């Protein structure tokens, strides 16, 4: 989802609001200068609290209840249209940054709107980051008005709680999706979803626009960090646990929210790497690689879904009967509520030119797809167009009934008819130390060691270490986008906006060593210029080792578009200058949302640590990795390109293609020496309904205890008529090994898992020898071969197009 924030706006994302449409300032005397303030609300978060784990889960959306059907029949056409409208909170904020009740009454009386979205802090609200208490005051007042005006139906409030409730002050901001995937432990996706849900409900919001399930294929893409990596299987496992975390027993547990799988479909492979760029994806490849994470989320019970921006193969997803009706509803079996992304119906006319005007776009969306709610966001165009289409008979009232029934059923499932207001008791759990530790544990197991020549890491407390670089002394750079604000905290906000709800790497270093680290900035985050470089070099000469923090400024969506992967020149120059002139070991820490190019730094640095975007509390985990308090166990969830040409290389690309990235998918080092041995397969042949068991022994030779991600891949040696994948991740497990300990890890592999979609959209198996490999492209890889046997004409599944 996109949303214009108070720092950065784009005509594509938000237009000025006509005061005749939304009388937000009609009776208001404007006295505020527009400069956002810090929310001064304080509270002492509970250290810990009880919660429901994965065992207490329920099913997702299903048939519509009888009382909801009766309710739909009683609504007028205007009320039905209103339930399908979602507008952004900026339309009900006045010029003093406060809730304008007149504007709320207007939207509820005139348009009967059924949903609001977004944070006041992103839309000229008085506070930059709203506490759960003040956020709840805001949403509760809107809810109170909704219950006595318009349709008198509770509104559902949506929020981009994509990595914790990142728009709620004090809520724990988790590592980004790409970092969560790097743990190779889906439990962390569950933790992030569960805590995001609780903190969102504390603020009076009920619906999280998460998880983000696009495959991060083109690494130039600005939304790479939001997703669970490039691999269908890894992303699917993360998706399943994430949905369970957000929703739990959401039809009874009022500390949970409705999850929203997004963005359906194919969003992560923009042809040129730009956000919303055209995607060229063959239908059978879409089913093979891009659909599985969404299927996993649907099977896990996701209550809602969001369609994708843009076009696939030139066809607008928003208007596509195939993508949003045939594929999503019929083939994948999604029964929940479907919402558009921000202004996406209108964008058909004013951005993609796939419709003559907004009315035609609205007609096509309602006639050709099963979309239920329009995140029209900025105006009343959907209400106007739909009203006209109903009056002239183009759209039937029964079409509205289907969508309104799903919307009202969702509200009922979330308990809004019985408990429409925020649960004030939840506010005391926001920012709990228990939540902070969950986020830090995620970061600890996500951070990935990419290089460690001569065992330069871990650092020793006795060593004199110089710390250099903008990302080591910043909370907001560790957070990235979707963090306090859409684009992250502004330069004016700085780190002060967190009010202590976060840390930095330097603070983490101090907590471990007991002394304030020697630090120099060295370069600005945009890489425009080095800072006091002579002083940096002289200090480096006096140090035993130098740690340099590089990375990216905060960004989201189109404002994060880049033309090349290479990090800014002056950042790379900083490392080169230190390495060449100081002649001391250099450790590079990368704080970044996508795998940026490093140029000669790959050779010049003695050690390279990829911290991804570890979240507001990522400083201590990074410090623990550097000093060996934590043994790194993160593994790359994406292919790390060595060149621009490799931006879209993946571990599952055709096996005949060159795959020589800087670091391969699944790669990562630790501080201990591990070996794999005694790989066995229970049967020499793999047949349908006759799985085989693969066993492998893993030994930790020390000198530290080590968590290890054991990854099993398949590689078909040939496949008649179709190029086989280079490697396909089939199973993984993360195990803890003490020094000198050996564990046997066991995987069950089914022939059905090796089936593929062909051009005729049939899922079938081609017989051939298959190499089963543990951790390819590492010094620890071991393999075994089985013969895959099946009738190539037997169809396991098929799809229409």
């Amino acid at each position: 989802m996109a949303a214009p924030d108070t720092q950065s706006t784009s005509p594509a994302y938000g237009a000025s609001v006509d005061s005749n449409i939304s009388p937000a300032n009609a009776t208001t005397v404007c006295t505020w200068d527009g400069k956002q303030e810090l929310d001064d609300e304080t509270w002492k978060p509970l250290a810990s609290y009880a919660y429901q784990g994965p065992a207490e889960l329920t099913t997702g959306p299903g048939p519509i209840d009888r009382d909801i059907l009766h309710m739909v029949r009683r609504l007028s056409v205007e009320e039905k249209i209103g339930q399908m409208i979602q507008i952004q909170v900026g339309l009900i904020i006045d010029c003093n940054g406060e809730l304008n009740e007149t504007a709320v009454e207007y939207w509820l009386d005139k348009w009967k709107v059924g949903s609001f979205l977004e944070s006041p802090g992103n839309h000229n609200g008085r506070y930059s980051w709203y506490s759960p208490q003040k956020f709840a005051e805001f949403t509760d007042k809107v809810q109170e008005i909704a219950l006595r005006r318009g349709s008198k139906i509770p509104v559902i409030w949506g929020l981009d709680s994509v990595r914790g409730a990142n728009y709620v002050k004090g809520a724990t901001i988790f590592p980004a999706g790409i970092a969560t995937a790097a743990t190779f432990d889906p439990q962390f996706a569950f933790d992030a979803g569960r805590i995001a849900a609780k903190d969102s409900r504390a603020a009076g919001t009920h619906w999280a626009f998460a998880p983000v399930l696009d495959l991060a294929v083109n690494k130039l893409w600005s939304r790479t960090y939001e997703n669970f990596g490039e691999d269908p299987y890894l992303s699917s496992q993360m998706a399943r646990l994430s949905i369970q975390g957000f929703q739990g027993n959401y039809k009874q547990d009022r500390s949970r929210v409705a999850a929203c799988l997004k963005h359906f479909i194919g969003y992560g492979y923009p042809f040129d790497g730009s956000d919303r760029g055209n995607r060229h994806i063959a239908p059978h490849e879409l089913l093979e690689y891009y659909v599985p994470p969404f299927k996993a989320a649907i099977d896990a019970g996701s209550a809602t879904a969001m369609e994708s921006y843009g076009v696939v193969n030139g066809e607008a997803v928003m208007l596509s009967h195939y993508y949003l009706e045939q594929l999503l509803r019929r083939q994948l079996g999604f029964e929940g509520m479907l919402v558009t992304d921000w202004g996406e119906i209108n964008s058909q006319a004013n951005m993609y030119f796939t419709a003559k005007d907004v009315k035609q776009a609205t007609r096509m969306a309602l006639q050709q797809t099963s979309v239920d709610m329009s995140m029209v966001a900025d105006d009343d165009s959907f209400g106007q167009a739909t009203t006209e289409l109903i009056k002239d008979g183009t759209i039937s009232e029964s079409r509205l009934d289907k969508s309104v029934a799903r919307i009202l059923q969702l509200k009922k499932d979330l308990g809004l008819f019985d408990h429409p207001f925020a649960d004030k008791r939840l506010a005391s759990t926001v920012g709990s130390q228990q939540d902070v530790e969950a986020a830090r544990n995620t970061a600890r197991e996500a951070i990935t060691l990419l290089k460690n020549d001569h065992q330069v890491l871990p650092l020793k407390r006795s060593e004199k270490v110089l710390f250099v670089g903008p990302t080591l002394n910043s909370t907001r750079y560790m957070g990235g986008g979707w963090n306090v604000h859409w684009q992250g905290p502004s330069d004016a906000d700085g780190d002060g906006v967190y009010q202590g709800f976060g840390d930095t790497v330097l603070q983490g270093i101090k907590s471990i060593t007991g002394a304030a680290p020697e630090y120099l900035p060295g370069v600005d985050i945009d890489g425009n210029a080095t800072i006091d470089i002579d002083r940096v070099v002289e200090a480096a000469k006096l140090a035993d080792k130098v740690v340099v923090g590089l990375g990216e400024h905060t960004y989201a969506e189109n404002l994060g578009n880049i033309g090349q992967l290479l990090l800014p020149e002056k950042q790379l120059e900083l490392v080169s200058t230190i390495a060449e002139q100081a002649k001391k070991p250099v450790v590079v820490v990368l704080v970044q949302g996508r795998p940026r190019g490093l140029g000669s730094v790959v050779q010049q640095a003695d050690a390279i640590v990829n911290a991804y975007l570890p979240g507001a509390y990522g400083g201590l985990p990074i410090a623990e990795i550097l000093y060996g308090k934590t043994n790194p166990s993160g593994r790359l969830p994406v292919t790390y390109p060595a060149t621009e040409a490799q931006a879209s290389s993946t571990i599952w690309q055709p096996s005949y293609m060159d795959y020589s990235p800087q670091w391969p998918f699944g790669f990562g080092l630790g501080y201990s020496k591990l070996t794999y041995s005694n790989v066995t397969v229970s049967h020499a042949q793999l047949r349908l309904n006759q799985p085989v068991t693969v066993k492998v022994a893993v030994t930790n030779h020390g000198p530290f205890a080590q968590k290890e991600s054991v990854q099993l891949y398949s590689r078909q040696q040939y496949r008649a008529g179709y190029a086989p994948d280079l490697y396909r991740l089939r199973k993984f497990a993360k195990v803890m090994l003490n020094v000198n300990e050996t564990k046997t890890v066991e995987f069950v592999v089914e022939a059905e898992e090796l089936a593929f979609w062909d051009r005729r959209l049939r899922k079938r198996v081609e017989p051939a020898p298959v190499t089963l490999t543990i951790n390819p492209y590492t010094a620890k890889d071991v393999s075994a071969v089985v013969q895959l046997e099946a009738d190539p004409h037997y169809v396991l599944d098929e799809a229409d197009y």
Side-chain angles (χ1 to χ4, degrees):
M1 196 202 79
D5 67 358
T6 55
Q7 289 78 37
S8 306
T9 59
S10 165
Y13 291 81
S16 60
V17 179
D18 188 335
S19 61
N20 294 320
I21 294 177
S22 182
N25 301 312
T27 60
T28 303
V29 177
C30 302
T31 59
W32 185 43
D33 63 4
K35 184 178 180 180
Q36 288 188 315
E37 307 165 9
L38 294 179
D39 183 340
D40 60 3
E41 189 76 40
T42 60
W43 68 100
K44 185 177 181 181
L46 295 175
S48 62
Y49 56 89
Y51 63 90
Q52 291 183 325
E56 297 85 14
L57 302 177
T58 188
T59 56
I64 305 299
D65 293 343
R66 183 175 298 179
D67 60 333
I68 296 297
L69 294 174
H70 287 319
M71 183 182 295
V72 172
R73 285 195 288 268
R74 292 197 300 268
L75 296 179
S76 67
V77 169
E78 291 76 14
E79 289 172 326
K80 292 175 183 178
I81 293 172
Q83 286 299 305
M84 299 173 67
I85 296 174
Q86 184 179 59
I87 64 167
Q88 55 100 344
V89 67
L91 299 188
I92 55 173
I93 292 177
D94 66 22
C95 57
N96 291 317
E98 305 289 354
L99 176 67
N100 187 288
E101 295 182 27
T102 302
V104 178
E105 292 170 352
Y106 166 81
W107 284 101
L108 291 168
D109 288 343
K110 172 69 174 176
W111 291 106
K112 316 292 190 295
V113 297
S115 181
F116 291 87
L117 80 152
E118 262 282 12
S119 161
N122 275 342
H123 295 271
N124 296 310
R126 180 170 288 272
Y127 304 107
S128 51
W129 204 23
Y130 278 68
S131 64
Q133 295 85 353
K134 284 193 170 63
F135 210 134
E137 288 175 9
F138 193 102
T139 56
D140 279 357
K141 188 61 182 179
V142 172
Q143 199 71 276
E144 177 189 320
I145 298 171
L147 293 175
R148 58 180 170 81
R149 304 295 288 256
S151 301
K152 299 182 176 62
I153 295 174
V155 297
I156 183 171
W157 201 294
L159 199 63
D160 279 287
S161 296
V162 295
R163 40 200 301 224
N166 35 270
Y167 288 161
V168 178
K169 173 187 168 180
T172 302
I173 297 177
F174 274 72
I178 190 174
T180 304
T183 67
F184 275 76
D185 186 347
Q187 178 62 40
F188 291 116
F190 176 90
D191 293 342
R194 179 189 63 77
I195 293 167
K198 168 183 66 68
D199 293 351
S200 297
R201 288 300 288 247
T205 68
H206 328 98
W207 181 14
F209 298 130
V212 187
L213 302 179
D214 312 297
L215 291 192
V217 176
N218 191 325
K219 312 312 183 297
L220 287 163
W221 189 38
S222 60
R223 307 194 75 164
T224 293
Y225 66 89
E226 298 179 46
N227 305 278
F228 294 128
E230 72 183 33
D231 183 77
Y233 181 76
L234 176 61
S235 184
S236 296
Q237 300 309 304
M238 294 289 170
R240 180 173 59 86
L241 267 293
S242 181
I243 294 294
Q244 292 178 5
F246 277 109
Q247 290 190 180
N249 193 357
Y250 76 105
K251 296 181 182 180
Q252 295 180 356
D253 184 350
R254 301 311 172 209
S255 69
R256 302 299 179 103
V257 297
C260 184
L261 58 89
K262 68 177 189 182
H263 309 82
F264 194 83
I265 181 83
Y267 191 20
Y269 188 20
F271 184 72
D272 63 353
S274 65
D275 191 42
R276 301 201 195 194
N278 186 30
R279 288 92 80 183
H280 303 288
I281 307 172
H284 63 289
E285 292 181 328
L286 194 78
L287 293 170
E288 180 72 23
Y289 305 110
Y290 298 85
V291 165
F294 292 95
K295 174 62 173 170
I298 292 169
D299 291 346
S302 183
T304 73
M306 183 184 295
E307 57 79 36
S308 171
Y309 282 133
V311 298
V312 176
N313 301 322
E315 180 183 12
V317 175
M318 178 66 257
L319 306 179
S320 173
H321 177 80
Y322 172 70
Y323 294 126
L324 300 186
E325 179 64 34
Q326 189 165 310
L327 180 56
L328 179 63
R329 296 285 190 188
R330 298 179 189 173
Q331 183 172 340
L332 300 183
F334 177 65
E335 296 182 292
M337 196 265 276
L338 175 62
V339 65
T340 76
D341 210 328
W342 187 285
E344 191 64 355
I345 291 179
N346 291 15
S347 293
Q348 305 308 310
N350 60 36
M351 180 181 293
Y352 312 120
F353 310 114
T354 55
K356 179 180 69 174
D357 52 30
V358 171
K359 183 176 180 180
Q360 184 186 49
T362 304
R363 174 185 63 78
M364 295 171 72
L366 292 174
Q367 284 185 335
Q368 298 172 186
T369 82
S370 60
V371 68
D372 299 311
M373 182 178 287
S374 173
M375 190 189 290
V376 63
D378 288 320
D379 56 40
D380 57 14
S381 57
F382 179 81
Q384 289 185 0
T386 306
T387 299
E388 293 174 12
L389 291 167
I390 290 289
K391 285 181 178 179
D392 65 23
T394 303
I395 299 296
S396 68
E397 187 174 350
S398 62
R399 168 64 182 87
L400 305 185
D401 291 348
K402 294 179 182 178
S403 288
V404 175
R406 285 192 283 256
I407 293 167
L408 294 179
Q409 183 67 53
L410 176 64
K411 292 182 178 183
K412 178 184 177 181
D413 290 343
L414 289 167
L416 298 189
F417 294 124
D418 298 319
H419 306 285
F421 301 109
D423 185 344
K424 304 297 194 299
R425 296 170 299 179
L426 292 175
S428 65
T429 71
V430 174
S432 164
Q433 188 60 36
Q434 176 175 302
D435 297 347
V436 172
E437 277 305 296
R440 282 178 169 156
N441 285 337
T442 306
R444 288 174 178 120
E445 296 201 28
I447 296 168
T448 306
L449 181 61
L450 298 176
K451 181 180 181 182
N452 193 24
D453 286 357
H454 314 298
Q455 287 73 54
V456 67
L457 290 177
L459 303 173
K460 298 179 180 63
R461 292 178 60 181
S462 59
E463 293 173 326
K464 180 178 173 59
V465 182
L466 173 67
F467 295 88
V468 182
T471 59
L472 301 183
N473 194 31
S474 170
T475 305
R476 63 181 177 128
Y477 297 151
M478 294 192 300
W482 308 103
N483 152 39
V484 178
H485 295 303
W486 172 44
Q487 294 292 323
S490 67
D491 291 341
D493 286 326
D495 277 1
V497 73
Y498 293 99
Q499 296 178 262
F501 291 105
D503 64 12
T504 67
V505 177
L506 295 185
Q507 289 171 348
I509 298 296
K510 183 177 180 180
S511 71
I512 290 174
T513 65
E518 183 181 6
Y519 170 75
L520 294 169
V523 67
D524 67 282
I525 188 65
D526 295 313
N528 294 320
T530 53
I531 302 170
D532 293 331
I533 190 63
D534 291 339
R535 184 182 172 194
V536 170
V537 171
E538 290 306 309
K541 289 178 179 178
L542 299 175
D544 296 315
K545 295 175 182 176
V546 182
V547 175
V548 183
L550 307 181
E552 298 182 294
H553 202 291
T554 63
Y555 59 85
E557 303 194 46
N558 66 333
L559 298 184
N561 285 346
I562 55 175
Q564 62 175 6
L565 281 173
L566 204 66
L567 274 172
E569 179 182 356
K570 292 298 181 181
Q571 285 199 32
L572 302 179
E573 182 181 303
L574 173 66
V575 178
S576 297
T577 300
I578 293 171
E580 292 170 1
Q581 297 187 28
K583 309 294 185 182
K584 294 297 174 67
V586 175
V587 176
V588 170
V589 176
L590 301 170
V591 178
Q592 56 184 3
R594 52 197 156 191
R596 299 298 297 265
L598 302 177
S600 60
V601 167
V602 174
Q603 290 76 40
Q604 293 169 325
D606 297 274
I608 299 176
V609 176
N610 189 13
Y612 309 95
L613 295 177
Y617 290 98
L620 180 60
I622 291 174
E624 290 174 345
I625 294 286
L626 292 175
Y627 276 89
K629 188 174 181 180
T630 298
N631 196 342
S633 63
R635 301 293 180 261
L636 287 174
V638 294
T639 297
Y640 203 118
T643 67
E644 299 293 327
Q646 296 173 354
S648 294
S649 291
T650 64
I651 191 66
W652 44 263
Q653 68 187 31
S655 60
Y656 72 88
M657 295 177 62
D658 174 63
Y659 186 75
S660 53
Q662 195 67 68
W663 294 286
F665 174 91
F667 180 82
L669 304 172
Y671 294 148
S672 292
K673 179 183 178 181
L674 274 67
T675 58
Y676 286 68
S677 60
N678 300 328
V679 60
T680 62
V681 181
S682 59
H683 300 285
Q685 293 184 330
L686 179 59
R687 301 177 184 274
L688 296 176
N689 300 312
Q690 297 180 25
V692 300
T693 300
V694 181
K695 296 181 180 180
V696 63
V698 190
T699 302
N700 178 11
H701 301 280
F704 306 102
Q706 175 84 56
K707 284 189 175 181
E708 173 72 350
S709 295
V710 184
Q711 306 161 29
L712 174 67
Y713 297 77
S714 70
R715 177 170 178 152
Q716 194 158 338
Q717 295 183 12
Y718 58 84
R719 191 163 65 191
Y722 292 85
D725 305 307
L726 178 65
Y727 283 101
R728 284 296 293 274
L729 180 65
R730 299 301 182 185
K731 299 289 170 66
F732 60 84
K734 198 159 192 178
V735 296
M736 181 67 189
L737 295 161
N738 294 318
V739 177
N740 296 322
E741 183 179 12
T742 298
K743 285 185 178 178
T744 297
V745 180
E746 183 175 311
F747 299 110
V748 175
V749 179
E750 299 177 349
E752 289 82 354
E753 295 171 323
L754 276 62
F756 73 103
W757 288 94
D758 67 16
R759 192 177 64 83
R760 294 170 61 185
L761 304 190
R762 302 174 304 173
K763 192 171 187 179
R764 56 190 184 83
V765 176
E766 276 286 346
V770 174
T771 303
L772 299 176
T773 300
I774 306 291
N775 295 27
Y777 297 107
T778 72
K780 301 173 289 188
D781 72 305
V782 290
S783 300
V785 177
V786 296
Q787 180 66 35
L788 179 61
E789 295 287 1
D791 178 357
H793 302 293
Y794 179 74
V795 177
L796 282 73
D797 195 6
E798 56 187 330
D800 296 325
Y801 187 71

